[in-house]
Amino acid sequence: MYTKSPPLNDAYPEDDVDAAERTSSNRVHRLRPGAFPRSADFKRSQVARGRPSITRRIIRVVGRFSVAVLIGVGATLAWQSYGGEMITAWAPSLGWLVPVSPTAQLQAQLKPVALDLAIMKRSVEQLAANQDQLARKQDQMAQAFAALQAAEQDIKQNILALAPLAPKAAHVPPPKPSQAAAQ
């Protein structure tokens, strides 16, 4: 890219003219070896060549603006995703800069409810275990009661089977409860 503009009062730039020739009173300038002679339209063509066309300048400006916007969008997304966590990790004293997200507020409000639910869940599990234990005991008692009824039935059948062999006993009325026990 061209960074130096040519002098406006000379026909040739100073770099292309020997220093000895510049100091002489003779206004004819000689070019250094390797320098190219320039036309009279040098100033206009150099100015035109030094600046890119308007289209190129617009494209460059739009490109730079787009890059700046993309960097800004990327930084915003990174801030929203990780910014608060990184700030509080790097400098806890700057935690007040981080806005409290609605999610964090909701978590703070739901934490006691979650603890209560966990306690209730544990209580329900204990009640279910106790109910299972009671059901097993009830089944055992029902089986024991059935066994007692079967044993009573066997005893009655054995008594009836032995009764015809024994002499008929006199019928004895059941004893009356005493009056003292009744009171």
Side-chain angles (χ1 to χ4, degrees), residues 22-44:
R22 248 186 278 130
T23 58
S24 72
S25 61
N26 188 358
R27 295 295 285 170
V28 176
H29 295 283
R30 286 189 221 160
L31 292 175
R32 270 195 246 156
F36 297 106
R38 300 201 175 126
S39 68
D41 292 332
F42 170 74
K43 292 178 190 171
R44 283 189 304 235

Side-chain angles (χ1 to χ4, degrees), residues 16 18 39 41 70 93 99-100 107 114 117-118 126 129 131 147 154 156 158 160:
D16 293 341
D18 286 330
S39 68
D41 292 332
L70 288 175
S93 62
V100 178
Q107 286 177 344
L117 284 175
Q126 287 176 347
Q131 188 177 8
D154 282 344
K156 283 184 182 178
N158 286 341
L160 286 177

Side-chain angles (χ1 to χ4, degrees), residues 35-71:
F36 297 106
R38 300 201 175 126
S39 68
D41 292 332
F42 170 74
K43 292 178 190 171
R44 283 189 304 235
S45 65
Q46 183 62 31
V47 170
R49 269 188 266 135
R51 278 190 182 168
S53 69
I54 194 93
T55 307
R56 285 186 180 168
R57 285 189 285 172
I58 289 174
I59 290 173
R60 285 182 186 164
V61 167
V62 169
R64 289 176 184 151
F65 179 75
S66 300
V67 168
V69 167
L70 288 175
I71 289 172

Side-chain angles (χ1 to χ4, degrees), residues 2-181:
Y2 187 75
T3 58
K4 273 177 101 176
S5 65
L8 299 177
N9 57 358
D10 289 339
Y12 301 104
E14 291 179 5
D15 293 341
D16 293 341
V17 180
D18 286 330
E21 296 295 327
R22 248 186 278 130
T23 58
S24 72
S25 61
N26 188 358
R27 295 295 285 170
V28 176
H29 295 283
R30 286 189 221 160
L31 292 175
R32 270 195 246 156
F36 297 106
R38 300 201 175 126
S39 68
D41 292 332
F42 170 74
K43 292 178 190 171
R44 283 189 304 235
S45 65
Q46 183 62 31
V47 170
R49 269 188 266 135
R51 278 190 182 168
S53 69
I54 194 93
T55 307
R56 285 186 180 168
R57 285 189 285 172
I58 289 174
I59 290 173
R60 285 182 186 164
V61 167
V62 169
R64 289 176 184 151
F65 179 75
S66 300
V67 168
V69 167
L70 288 175
I71 289 172
V73 168
T76 302
L77 291 175
W79 174 265
Q80 287 177 348
S81 298
Y82 304 106
E85 296 167 7
M86 289 187 339
I87 285 180
T88 53
W90 288 344
S93 62
L94 297 177
W96 62 272
L97 288 174
V98 179
V100 178
S101 67
T103 307
Q105 288 176 344
L106 239 125
Q107 286 177 344
Q109 291 174 350
L110 291 178
K111 192 172 186 176
V113 174
L115 290 173
D116 290 343
L117 284 175
I119 291 170
M120 284 184 66
K121 180 181 176 185
R122 205 173 311 136
S123 298
V124 167
E125 288 173 352
Q126 287 176 347
L127 283 173
N130 289 344
Q131 188 177 8
D132 288 343
Q133 210 172 24
L134 286 174
R136 283 193 302 270
K137 285 184 179 181
Q138 188 177 10
D139 287 343
Q140 288 174 353
M141 286 177 63
Q143 289 173 357
F145 186 70
L148 283 175
Q149 282 181 340
E152 181 185 12
Q153 198 68 14
D154 282 344
I155 291 173
K156 283 184 182 178
Q157 286 179 356
N158 286 341
I159 290 176
L160 286 177
L162 293 176
L165 297 176
K168 287 188 174 181
H171 179 48
V172 178
K176 288 186 176 181
S178 65
Q179 290 183 349

